Amino acid sequence: MSTQTDETQTISPVASEPSRFRPSTRGWAIRLVVIALLAVVTVWRVATVQPLWADHISLAAIFAIIGLSLNIVLGYTGQVSLGHHAFVGLGAFIAAHHITERAGCAPEEGCIESSLGTFSVAILLAILSGVISAGLLGMVALRIKGLYLALITLTYGFVAVNSIFEISSLTRGGAGMPAPRPATFFSDHKYMVLCLGLLGVCMFIDWRFLRSKMGRAVLAVKSSEAVAASYAVNVTAYKLMAFMLSGAFAGLAGALFAFRRQIVVAPDFSFSTALLWVLMVVVGGLGSRLGVVIGSMFFALFPFLIQLVGFLNDFLANTLQRDPEELTLVIGPFLALLTMIQFPGGIAEQISPITRWLGGDRFTMHPEGKHHKPSLLQRRRAKKQGLEVHDDAELVATKSEDLLRDAAGEPDAASTQTMAAVDSSEEVKS
Amino acid sequence: MSLLEVQELSAGYGSLPVLQGLSFKIEEGETAVLLGLNGAGKTTTVLCLAGLIKPWGGKITFDGKNVTGWDPRKLVAEGIVLVPEGRHVFPELTIAQNLRIGAWPYRRDRKHTRAIVEQAVEYFPRLQERWTQLAGTLSGGEQQMLAIARGLMARPKILLIDESSLGLSPKLTKTVFEVVQKINSDGTTVLMVEQNAGVLKIADRAFVMEKGTLVYEGQGGEILDHAEIREAYLGAPA
Amino acid sequence: MRTTIVSAVLVVLLGLGLLVGAGVENGPNPFITLGVMNGAVFGLVALGLVLVYKGTRVFNFAQGEFGTIAAYLLFLSINRGWPYWVGILVALAGTVLIGLVLERGVIRPLINAPRINVLVATIAAALFMIGMEILIARIEPRSLSPIIAAVDSSGNPNGVTVFNLPIEPQRLIALGVLLSLGGVLAWFFSKTDLGLAVLATSQDAFATRVMGIGIERMSRFIWVSAALLGAIAGILYVPLTGALTPAVMTSNILIPAFTGAVIGGMTSLPGAFVGGIVIGVVQSVGLWAGGHFTIGEKALQEVIPGVEQVTILLVLLAVLLSRPQGLLGKEA
Ligand SMILES: Nc1ncnc2c1ncn2[C@@H]1O[C@H](COP(=O)(O)OP(=O)(O)O)[C@@H](O)[C@H]1O
Ligand SMILES: [Mg+2]
């Protein structure tokens, strides 16, 4: 299996460097007013939204939680999960199963509202199922990395859909497993508030996680296994924790998904959905919490937003006779490709002048050190040169080792390896 | 007329300038060496000559033609061939296959290829002994020999050899230099990038670079008489 | 050498399996035969995956969709009343065009990006193709006729019968095509200059440029060939499924094909070939076992639905955890 280091290195997260600039009191005041205005407008708009849109926004919040979940795997650990529909779907079925079968609140028995207690337990069980299955995946991921892990997750996703979601005691086959909401969150509006609230909780947890020793260690591993080794921390356990946290978010999103429609059917979770989730995280901006949330919400709301644009809606409905949702599968991947090729950093990078300003930085389109994306090659090259220039002792050591090897006439395996590393660093862009 | 003439060459990476107005000439049939400390821009110079990075400005004339900014493909066909720093042999191909790739410009002419292979192997008999061994399993010295032999496969008019002695034992270095001398006496012009003073013994002409410009130019042996240059750039009180 | 030994062992195992199977009532033999035939299609797609991996160290998740697109192009051509062979040409040409666009528009701009980004890009490309299929051809299944009809005009089956199982001519064609393409590719990589240059590019792109070889040309060549292999697989496989739907090749073929390629070591062409057949047999026997064995009162497949999918996941995990370089893990 290839052990190329760059397999584990993805687009770097948007790291904010400590800046020396501090705004004046007036500057802070302006920023606060802007933030407050934004908050008020958002809250007011959301609070007075139509029930139909409340339902759409619930979906957006659920997508955002899924986005955060994937971002942990993709943005923080640098691995790809192509089977997230399995985690989310399992969470959904587990939650629905608990309500209907275990707590005995089945619609056919006239139960259309679950109790708040069973509802909460169902959500917790869904989270637990996510933690356990992602933990298992994490254990595999510790041994199998990069491209191969992507393949395994995709395969697992197919197994989930064709095998686990076919177990009729869990899913009631094609009819689907009902998942009635409790009275407290029965209206679409109340349910939306719940989803947004839980999204907020997830964002908070994600923020705390990244700030913790664990989070920092995981990020360090991503940029270099060697650096991580020198950390002398139990990176393995931390990585596993990251996967489990990702699973927890996915399970939660699954439960919310189930209660949104109040029934779960297997076709809700197809591999193309899972792939689209990966792309929405890329479009949002890997490693950036806010970017990922915006990107995910955009992907969720895209079909509904199109319907708001009169002529587009007419064109789709009358001329093409297509469902706007079908368009997501074309536009989504297109945006993702555009992001990867033209705008690495995604939405997060594009809005960074604004977010940085709000965070107390100068307003500038070109934050320091970001004029041109520093390529991995350049950075590595610089590191190599640094070694050669500043660390002569090191160079001499390599030389004498090589010398010994030549004298002994042994095959020069070690130097081949170094050379392989040099290979990639020496590719000169023209 | 010189075989290779470089005028006011400038080049760099991204927005970082490395070469800043470099000029020199190499005559047909001679062995020239380019000396300088790490980071002086020697590798950048030969990468420019081989077309692997595009010059920002200046002019490169080869064999009477203005070849500035040409593609490596055209330059190899024209006769400028680079043996890159770090050898860069194809690790999972055999010696024979590595050489065959080197003969890419002559791939349609089997007989011709065979003739060059034989000639190249004469310089490095050690390669013939390991004909079907994977290049990645060769020692550093053998890989260097293979890299030079592979460069010869394209029938260069000028062979640019970047740091061939890096990481080799003194004995192996001497062998490599001797072979290069033989290659040169058989009619190929050579430009060697080196940090090893031993190379001056086979050099007709020497250039010293610092921070992207030429700071000294002279006969090969002459440089050894300049104590300050010797100490500054060769790190060896001869 | 290794290839010969491993292949011989596998053939012997297959023979033993058939012998044992012959003694079982409602035994697995028809399934094994069917598995070999399915394996031929997996092998074809696996060849494309290995080709791209050898050339560019990329996992191409769009390999399956090359086939679906080709099948749709063939379907559209036949629907217009064009002869079958014209349809095949249209399908191959169209898919090659898509391969070219993909290489130029997506792969080449990402030539210096980390491999995992390129992987995500191929996913985006696959999903884009699926989206276009849905948008243009809609979800509903279409039926695509095979090259040679399974039954002749008087209702007798064409093709041959093995273990009382009639094998359609299409399956035999697929097997033949796999064998010949596998041979051609193996020859190409070991004997031709272009083949060696492709290998060299994958090992050290910088050095390849130093030798005066245009690496853009190599990359284009690889993606065009991969698209062609994918298209051939699609044209041969889809008529056998009976239903042409969006993403059919990705959902039915891509994963077994990947698993086959991994079994073969991801860089070995004979490995992809052998791995494809192995996974075809394993999957098919899994299917048989699901119906044949019972746990308590219920059939195995009722207790564990999708036994054949689970088998593939297990095989994949087993290979990657125990022998990541695959059965035939050397460049060839
Ligand atoms: N790929 C690259 N990207 C950015 N800077 C580079 C690259 N290659 C070389 N440099 C810089 O260019 C300068 C000259 O390097 P080089 O030509 O390799 O020097 P030399 O071969 O004399 O040691 C050095 O400062 C080095 O850091
Ligand atoms: Mg150098």
Side-chain angles (χ1 to χ4, degrees):
Chain A
M1 187 180 316
S2 171
T3 49
Q4 286 176 9
T5 46
D6 44 350
E7 284 194 356
T8 51
Q9 282 169 346
T10 30
I11 309 159
S12 342
V14 187
S16 54
E17 281 155 30
S19 74
R20 264 151 274 127
F21 175 78
R22 281 289 127 207
S24 62
T25 327
R26 199 169 124 248
W28 274 124
I30 297 176
R31 285 172 173 83
L32 277 178
V33 169
V34 172
I35 294 176
L37 269 178
L38 272 176
V40 168
V41 170
T42 316
V43 168
W44 179 71
R45 284 295 299 161
V46 167
T48 58
V49 83
Q50 303 292 318
L52 182 65
W53 271 85
D55 183 51
H56 298 338
I57 293 174
S58 303
L59 183 70
I62 295 169
F63 264 49
I65 295 175
I66 295 172
L68 289 175
S69 163
L70 266 167
N71 184 42
I72 295 175
V73 177
L74 203 60
Y76 301 166
T77 75
Q79 310 274 4
V80 181
S81 163
L82 304 179
H84 246 59
H85 59 310
F87 301 136
V88 176
L90 190 64
F93 279 121
I94 296 264
H97 179 262
H98 177 76
I99 299 267
T100 315
E101 305 285 357
R102 302 265 301 282
C105 178
E108 67 265 20
E109 282 152 26
C111 177
I112 50 159
E113 279 180 13
S114 54
S115 76
L116 196 56
T118 50
F119 176 76
S120 319
V121 173
I123 289 187
L124 286 179
L125 282 176
I127 294 176
L128 194 65
S129 78
V131 169
I132 292 173
S133 46
L136 288 176
L137 174 69
M139 285 197 285
V140 173
L142 294 175
R143 296 207 44 199
I144 299 170
K145 291 203 171 62
L147 308 179
Y148 289 91
L149 184 69
L151 179 56
I152 288 193
T153 54
L154 186 68
T155 312
Y156 171 69
F158 271 93
V159 167
V161 170
N162 292 309
S163 186
I164 302 176
F165 298 170
E166 292 287 316
I167 300 174
S168 53
S169 55
L170 178 68
T171 64
R172 288 199 174 175
M177 186 64 89
R181 291 178 198 164
T184 328
F185 301 112
F186 200 78
S187 77
D188 282 345
H189 213 271
K190 285 176 181 157
Y191 194 66
M192 170 193 75
V193 172
L194 174 72
C195 289
L196 286 173
L198 287 174
L199 169 62
V201 172
C202 286
M203 288 176 77
F204 178 78
I205 294 177
D206 182 61
W207 173 61
R208 289 315 305 166
F209 171 76
L210 209 59
R211 283 295 160 93
S212 70
K213 196 167 129 205
M214 265 186 278
R216 278 176 289 138
V218 166
L219 276 188
V221 185
K222 192 194 145 208
S223 50
S224 157
E225 293 272 352
V227 171
S230 69
Y231 257 55
V233 289
N234 191 351
V235 175
T236 311
Y238 291 167
K239 252 180 161 172
L240 209 53
M241 293 292 289
F243 268 92
M244 282 154 81
L245 181 61
S246 169
F249 286 1
L252 171 65
L256 294 176
F257 200 99
F259 293 116
R260 179 178 159 250
R261 287 265 181 80
Q262 310 202 63
I263 185 156
V264 198
V265 289
D268 283 340
F269 311 100
S270 71
F271 77 94
S272 49
T273 318
L275 301 189
L276 207 60
W277 288 340
V278 171
L279 300 185
M280 77 190 179
V281 175
V282 170
V283 171
L286 282 183
S288 156
R289 192 173 308 111
L290 188 62
V292 165
V293 168
I294 295 177
S296 310
M297 288 192 153
F298 174 73
F299 269 55
L301 295 179
F302 174 76
F304 314 122
L305 290 174
I306 281 202
Q307 284 166 316
L308 288 185
V309 187
F311 74 93
L312 261 183
N313 192 37
D314 284 350
F315 178 70
L316 261 182
N318 303 330
T319 317
L320 290 182
Q321 306 198 327
R322 292 294 186 270
D323 190 344
E325 226 162 300
E326 293 177 352
L327 215 55
T328 319
L329 269 187
V330 175
I331 302 293
F334 178 76
L335 287 179
L337 286 174
L338 202 64
T339 304
M340 278 185 279
I341 294 163
Q342 281 299 323
F343 307 102
I347 295 176
E349 183 80 40
Q350 298 307 309
I351 61 168
S352 71
I354 302 168
T355 46
R356 283 168 161 265
W357 178 77
L358 287 176
D361 216 328
R362 266 199 192 88
F363 186 87
T364 157
M365 296 305 286
H366 297 288
E368 268 170 67
K370 294 219 164 191
H371 319 284
H372 38 249
K373 36 179 179 166
S375 88
L376 202 67
L377 294 172
Q378 276 171 354
R379 269 181 283 144
R380 257 202 239 150
R381 172 83 192 197
K383 221 166 35 186
K384 186 191 145 223
Q385 292 286 336
L387 253 186
E388 281 181 357
V389 178
H390 304 298
D391 210 344
D392 274 358
E394 180 95 22
L395 188 68
V396 174
T398 357
K399 266 191 183 170
S400 55
E401 264 174 38
D402 212 350
L403 203 144
L404 285 175
R405 222 176 284 116
D406 268 323
E410 269 171 25
D412 195 351
S415 94
T416 321
Q417 275 178 6
T418 354
M419 230 168 284
V422 172
D423 279 356
S424 39
S425 68
E426 294 248 77
E427 286 172 17
V428 196
K429 261 195 207 163
S430 54
Chain B
M1 194 189 57
S2 314
L3 179 65
L4 178 75
E5 184 169 350
V6 174
Q7 288 164 294
E8 290 298 316
L9 185 67
S10 59
Y13 303 93
S15 57
L16 167 85
V18 175
L19 303 182
Q20 346 213 2
L22 184 70
S23 305
F24 60 87
K25 287 181 192 173
I26 296 173
E27 304 300 327
E28 182 152 9
E30 69 180 3
T31 298
V33 291
L34 187 56
L35 302 163
L37 295 176
N38 269 321
K42 306 181 298 294
T43 298
T44 310
T45 308
V46 287
L47 288 179
C48 260
L49 294 179
L52 293 154
I53 55 178
K54 297 275 171 261
W56 292 358
K59 189 175 167 197
I60 304 170
T61 318
F62 180 72
D63 215 4
K65 285 185 199 130
N66 180 354
V67 298
T68 323
W70 281 22
D71 228 39
R73 264 159 85 177
K74 275 170 84 185
L75 289 170
V76 168
E78 202 61 38
I80 304 183
V81 175
L82 171 70
V83 178
E85 185 176 4
R87 295 136 198 176
H88 282 278
V89 295
F90 299 111
E92 307 263 318
L93 297 184
T94 64
I95 291 188
Q97 289 170 325
N98 265 276
L99 292 181
R100 193 165 160 191
I101 298 275
W104 179 258
Y106 300 103
R107 61 190 177 284
R108 304 207 200 289
D109 190 345
R110 280 288 157 84
K111 233 167 52 200
H112 188 89
T113 313
R114 215 168 300 137
I116 339 175
V117 169
E118 267 162 33
Q119 200 188 350
V121 167
E122 255 172 52
Y123 293 123
F124 301 106
R126 233 164 122 171
L127 294 182
Q128 180 129 47
E129 294 160 21
R130 310 181 165 221
W131 207 232
T132 54
Q133 191 173 330
L134 293 185
T137 63
L138 298 172
S139 76
E142 288 158 353
Q143 289 192 356
Q144 187 60 57
M145 294 178 191
L146 175 58
I148 296 178
R150 188 182 58 179
L152 286 175
M153 300 301 297
R155 301 232 112 168
K157 290 197 188 109
I158 185 167
L159 193 59
L160 317 169
I161 309 177
D162 197 354
E163 306 251 9
S164 60
S165 66
L166 194 70
L168 299 193
S169 68
K171 190 163 152 273
L172 265 172
T173 304
K174 200 160 153 263
T175 318
V176 169
F177 286 173
E178 277 166 13
V179 176
V180 171
Q181 193 171 21
K182 217 183 315 164
I183 291 170
N184 176 242
S185 62
D186 289 347
T188 309
T189 310
V190 177
L191 172 64
M192 297 188 81
V193 170
E194 271 303 332
Q195 303 200 40
N196 185 317
V199 74
L200 289 168
K201 293 202 189 77
I202 64 165
D204 300 310
R205 187 189 297 267
F207 307 105
V208 178
M209 271 185 86
E210 190 181 289
K211 293 191 187 129
T213 51
L214 222 54
V215 293
Y216 174 87
E217 174 177 358
Q219 303 285 299
E222 253 177 41
I223 208 170
L224 292 168
D225 304 332
H226 291 261
E228 70 280 19
I229 291 183
R230 207 174 56 215
E231 272 159 38
Y233 299 108
L234 298 170
Chain C
M1 196 52 213
R2 181 166 196 109
T3 313
T4 330
I5 297 172
V6 172
S7 314
V9 169
L10 288 174
V11 168
V12 170
L13 277 180
L14 194 66
L16 279 178
L18 286 172
L19 264 181
V20 174
V24 182
E25 203 182 332
N26 291 327
N29 282 4
F31 283 84
I32 293 179
T33 319
L34 206 62
V36 173
M37 300 291 158
N38 283 343
V41 178
F42 300 155
L44 268 176
V45 176
L47 280 182
L49 293 169
V50 166
L51 186 71
V52 169
Y53 188 73
K54 275 171 97 71
T56 54
R57 302 287 139 173
V58 171
F59 274 19
N60 177 22
F61 280 91
Q63 186 67 24
E65 273 332 273
F66 285 145
T68 316
I69 296 263
Y72 271 110
L73 288 174
L74 177 58
F75 173 80
L76 288 176
S77 307
I78 295 175
N79 247 18
R80 303 199 134 212
W82 296 347
Y84 206 92
W85 64 270
V86 173
I88 290 184
L89 286 186
V90 168
L92 296 183
T95 317
V96 162
L97 196 68
I98 290 171
L100 275 174
V101 171
L102 184 62
E103 193 274 333
R104 188 68 198 79
V106 177
I107 305 301
R108 205 177 308 162
L110 294 176
I111 203 157
N112 289 319
R115 298 297 86 184
I116 215 125
N117 294 23
V118 188
L119 182 150
V120 174
T122 66
I123 286 172
L127 215 47
F128 183 77
M129 290 193 237
I130 293 173
M132 289 305 271
E133 288 156 19
I134 295 178
L135 209 60
I136 295 171
R138 323 217 89 175
I139 296 274
E140 57 258 37
R142 324 269 174 171
S143 109
L144 185 61
S145 50
I147 299 173
I148 300 172
V151 287
D152 60 23
S153 47
S154 51
N156 298 319
N158 283 322
V160 296
T161 304
V162 184
F163 300 114
N164 294 326
L165 180 79
I167 306 282
E168 300 106 304
Q170 186 91 355
R171 291 190 191 277
L172 297 175
I173 296 175
L175 197 59
V177 168
L178 173 71
L179 279 168
S180 28
L181 280 179
V184 166
L185 281 174
W187 166 80
F188 172 77
F189 277 111
S190 57
K191 293 288 183 291
T192 68
D193 287 285
L194 187 57
L196 279 179
V198 170
L199 288 186
T201 311
S202 74
Q203 290 167 26
D204 191 333
F206 171 74
T208 321
R209 285 182 64 212
V210 170
M211 303 289 102
I213 303 173
I215 57 172
E216 288 83 12
R217 216 176 114 189
M218 299 297 125
S219 168
R220 198 183 313 137
F221 171 82
I222 287 167
W223 284 88
V224 164
S225 319
L228 209 53
L229 284 171
I232 294 173
I235 291 171
L236 290 173
Y237 171 74
V238 172
L240 292 172
T241 63
L244 171 57
T245 50
V248 57
M249 291 296 280
T250 300
S251 20
N252 293 6
I253 304 288
L254 188 68
I255 288 187
F258 251 125
T259 311
V262 168
I263 291 177
M266 215 52 221
T267 53
S268 157
L269 291 163
F273 178 93
V274 173
I277 303 240
V278 167
I279 206 68
V281 172
V282 167
Q283 193 195 37
S284 205
V285 170
L287 202 61
W288 167 79
H292 188 77
F293 295 110
T294 50
I295 294 182
E297 295 288 282
K298 288 181 177 171
L300 181 60
Q301 65 195 9
E302 283 173 55
V303 186
I304 312 173
V307 187
E308 73 284 1
Q309 301 270 349
V310 180
T311 332
I312 290 186
L313 179 63
L314 293 180
V315 170
L316 191 60
L317 279 174
V319 172
L320 285 178
L321 289 173
S322 67
R323 203 183 148 77
Q325 71 276 37
L327 294 180
L328 309 163
K330 261 281 146 250
E331 297 273 347

